């Protein structure tokens, strides 16, 4: 009989990331400083890619979660008030 072995912590971590990405989708951030602020707050950067309109810029892609959206709103509204 085939017995299933339990998943390792690393396998569970990657499975959780994959499930979150499918459940929530991905969110592109075009401003480098904003992306770095989100990373400082603990949000995982999924990947980067070249900006299609201007190849000298990067696009930062994050997994879209409710916490991510809340922090994104907080950062963008605070920045707009400071200017």
């Amino acid at each position: 009989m085939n017995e299933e072995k339990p998943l390792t912590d690393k396998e569970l971590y990657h499975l959780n990331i994959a499930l979150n990405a499918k459940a929530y989708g991905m969110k592109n951030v075009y401003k480098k400083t904003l992306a770095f602020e989100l990373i400082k707050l603990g949000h995982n950067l999924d990947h980067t890619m070249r900006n299609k309109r201007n190849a000298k810029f990067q696009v930062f892609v994050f997994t879209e979660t409710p916490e991510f959206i809340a922090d994104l709103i907080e950062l963008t509204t605070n920045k707009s008030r400071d200017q």
Side-chain angles (χ1 to χ4, degrees):
M1 254 192 184
N2 289 338
E3 288 190 35
E4 292 184 30
K5 64 177 185 171
L7 296 175
T8 65
D9 287 341
K10 187 175 183 179
E11 291 170 329
L12 284 172
Y13 173 77
H14 289 291
L15 179 62
N16 188 27
I17 289 174
L19 290 174
N20 280 339
K22 287 185 180 198
Y24 294 113
M26 305 305 253
K27 184 72 175 169
N28 294 343
V29 174
Y30 294 90
K31 189 172 181 183
K32 183 179 177 180
T33 55
L34 178 59
F36 285 0
E37 294 271 338
L38 290 163
I39 292 168
K40 285 180 190 175
L41 291 174
H43 298 287
N44 290 328
L45 177 66
D46 189 76
H47 65 278
T48 64
M49 58 186 175
R50 285 277 170 216
N51 187 321
K52 292 177 184 175
R53 291 188 178 190
N54 191 339
K56 71 179 185 178
F57 296 116
Q58 287 288 111
V59 178
F60 303 88
V61 184
F62 292 86
T63 303
E64 186 176 351
T65 63
E67 296 83 12
F68 174 83
I69 297 299
D71 287 341
L72 182 62
I73 291 169
E74 180 68 26
L75 289 170
T76 54
T77 55
N78 283 343
K79 296 292 181 192
S80 64
R81 279 190 230 142
D82 292 340
Q83 295 176 357

